[in-house]
Amino acid sequence: MTSPRIPTPTRSDDAKFGKFTPHPMPDGPIPSADDGVATPRPRAFTRRKLNDEEAKELDSAKTSPDAMDTLTPDERNFAKEAAPIVQAALVKSILARAEPGKYRMADDDDDIEQIMSRGIARLDTRLVEKLAGRAEMALRDEKRAARLLGSKKIVLLREPAKTKKIVHRVAPNGGSQGNGDTDRPRVVVRPRDDKEEKERPVYTRVLAELRAIHAVRITEPRDNPDEMILGTVLVGAGGNVTAGYGGDMGEFMNGDRYSFGELPIGQFSLKSTKGYPKHMYVLFKLVEVDSDGKEAAAELTRAIGGIASLIASALATPAVGAAVGTMITAIGGIFENLIDDDEMRIVGKRLTLDDMYDLGGSVGPAERTDDITGHGGKYRIGYRWLMGA
């Protein structure tokens, strides 16, 4: 299905990042976490350096909490236990595709190995070959193999897995459904008269929008600029997963701050789940490609939405936070152990709405990620949430 466009909010609503260059919404569909769009078409973006005032605005933007910090202990434990199983099944599926017949795969269609194999079959052959080569190197390193495969090393590489879907059982009191939001005060909406209610806009969607990237410090060696690839993943309130905007964001030197106008990352439906609060997530993955051996990392970053969807399909949990935690942990493990142990970490950010007016208007306040580090570099991503009809 084609996702409807969200109109660009009026400039009067844009109190926080209003000085950025307006960027028109794309004519094509926006990737959406509720309609299964897996491959959004590329969209051109504007890129220009921020002036001093805009740079201060970005640096003073609210640093939203890391998604992993919002999980309940139960969800965090589930992610910790499930991620090594997911990583091992992914590695085995990569190796099995690169060398058919060498590894004995599970027979059941709903087994995690078969789920992963079907997903790996859709990846580009060159990427699979590069990843298989890196996997073989990692497995020869005892410490790296242990981090990548954990206790499932022997079982998953020599015998078929017997895990099927990884099940997260929700506590009888529904504690796992809380998504770590128990410390967030509930908003009490005061009664409104009929006239006031009719005048209020009705929002049905939320848009995540990329605003800027700040290279606080580029990666080592620092005599050449970093060329940065961005990959994003959207996870909706109902647990639906899709790829958000991704692409080459250009070159950066120390201290560079670039605006990308109002570049849509993707959108979420407020109708996919009943009631409030609603939790929506965007996962950000940055990778620099100016050093040897980074081609596989760049290709894997471009495929990150499909990898995240693959992980989600192998899980059986009604708690979205548990699935998000597993995705972040497993994707991080794949990059750190197949690509580089100093790879820039994947960062997840969560928006929680207590009602459709929780942002205070159609445009939310300026937000940015905390520091994304690796290879001696440090980056921050500026973004915001918008409400749409």
Side-chain angles (χ1 to χ4, degrees):
M1 97 184 224
T2 300
S3 304
R5 290 175 57 193
I6 301 178
T8 302
T10 61
R11 293 299 98 197
S12 60
D13 288 334
D14 197 352
K16 296 295 183 181
F17 273 95
K19 299 181 179 66
F20 282 72
T21 302
H23 183 78
M25 297 293 288
D27 292 329
I30 302 168
S32 175
D34 66 287
D35 63 10
V37 177
T39 312
R41 70 175 179 83
R43 293 182 294 280
F45 60 84
T46 60
R47 175 180 136 131
R48 66 171 178 81
K49 284 195 174 184
L50 306 184
N51 60 39
D52 290 343
E53 187 176 355
E54 293 169 336
K56 290 179 182 178
E57 193 177 334
L58 171 63
D59 289 342
S60 64
K62 174 184 176 183
T63 302
S64 49
D66 193 286
M68 293 297 289
D69 295 336
T70 68
L71 304 186
T72 64
D74 184 40
E75 291 168 343
R76 195 173 290 111
N77 289 336
F78 175 79
K80 183 179 180 180
E81 294 174 3
I85 300 174
V86 170
Q87 291 172 196
L90 269 170
V91 171
K92 185 175 180 182
S93 298
I94 290 168
L95 292 169
R97 180 180 163 188
E99 297 185 70
K102 183 174 180 179
Y103 300 92
R104 183 184 170 197
M105 303 298 287
D107 297 323
D108 295 339
D109 286 342
D110 63 346
D111 192 282
I112 187 172
E113 288 188 359
Q114 288 295 338
I115 294 171
M116 294 297 168
S117 293
R118 290 193 291 271
I120 295 300
R122 297 194 294 267
L123 292 183
D124 181 80
T125 301
R126 293 176 303 169
L127 173 58
V128 173
E129 290 174 350
K130 289 177 182 178
L131 294 177
R134 291 180 172 275
E136 290 171 352
M137 290 175 58
L139 295 179
R140 288 195 290 268
D141 183 314
E142 186 174 345
K143 291 184 178 179
R144 180 165 287 193
R147 292 197 305 266
L148 187 63
L149 304 178
S151 61
K152 299 295 177 182
K153 178 179 179 181
I154 300 299
V155 174
L156 289 182
L157 288 183
R158 297 183 183 175
E159 300 173 8
K162 298 178 181 178
T163 54
K164 294 197 175 181
K165 285 199 175 183
I166 305 172
V167 179
H168 177 215
R169 291 179 171 81
V170 180
N173 62 3
S176 295
Q177 296 278 23
N179 275 325
D181 206 40
T182 54
D183 58 343
R184 178 184 171 90
R186 298 273 70 80
V187 172
V188 179
V189 180
R190 64 180 176 84
R192 299 177 181 275
D193 59 40
D194 291 341
K195 181 180 179 181
E196 184 180 12
E197 195 63 39
K198 287 179 181 178
E199 292 175 350
R200 302 184 85 192
V202 176
Y203 301 123
T204 62
R205 292 183 177 268
V206 179
L207 177 72
E209 184 177 82
L210 178 69
R211 303 294 280 152
I213 296 178
H214 177 194
V216 181
R217 183 176 64 246
I218 65 172
T219 62
E220 298 176 345
R222 298 194 176 93
D223 52 349
N224 291 314
D226 284 345
E227 183 177 354
M228 303 304 296
I229 302 291
L230 173 68
T232 62
V233 177
L234 311 175
V235 185
N240 300 304
V241 181
T242 192
Y245 177 83
D248 190 333
M249 309 313 291
E251 293 185 342
F252 292 81
M253 290 299 292
N254 270 343
D256 280 350
R257 296 174 173 92
Y258 281 102
S259 164
F260 295 92
E262 299 170 337
L263 183 62
I265 297 171
Q267 65 180 345
F268 307 84
S269 172
L270 293 177
K271 296 181 177 181
S272 62
T273 59
K274 295 181 179 180
Y276 286 86
K278 296 183 189 293
H279 309 282
M280 288 147 279
Y281 301 82
V282 175
L283 312 185
F284 296 95
K285 181 71 180 83
L286 277 176
V287 61
E288 54 90 15
V289 293
D290 66 346
S291 59
D292 293 339
K294 286 296 178 181
E295 293 83 1
E299 291 180 40
L300 190 58
T301 300
R302 294 185 181 102
I304 199 169
I307 296 294
S309 298
L310 191 57
I311 293 171
S313 68
L315 307 175
T317 171
V320 178
V324 170
T326 303
M327 286 179 223
I328 292 174
T329 306
I331 291 171
I334 290 291
F335 273 89
E336 289 168 9
N337 295 292
L338 287 191
I339 304 298
D340 193 303
D341 57 9
D342 193 27
E343 185 64 35
M344 289 187 173
R345 69 187 181 95
I346 181 170
V347 172
K349 294 297 176 180
R350 191 183 79 182
L351 171 67
T352 293
L353 294 178
D354 289 304
D355 62 36
M356 71 176 72
Y357 307 110
D358 208 9
L359 292 182
S362 64
V363 180
E367 298 197 42
R368 64 174 172 85
T369 60
D370 44 1
D371 294 339
I372 303 174
T373 59
H375 299 283
K378 181 189 295 186
Y379 282 79
R380 294 170 185 157
I381 297 174
Y383 66 98
R384 70 179 176 190
W385 308 96
L386 302 92
M387 308 300 294

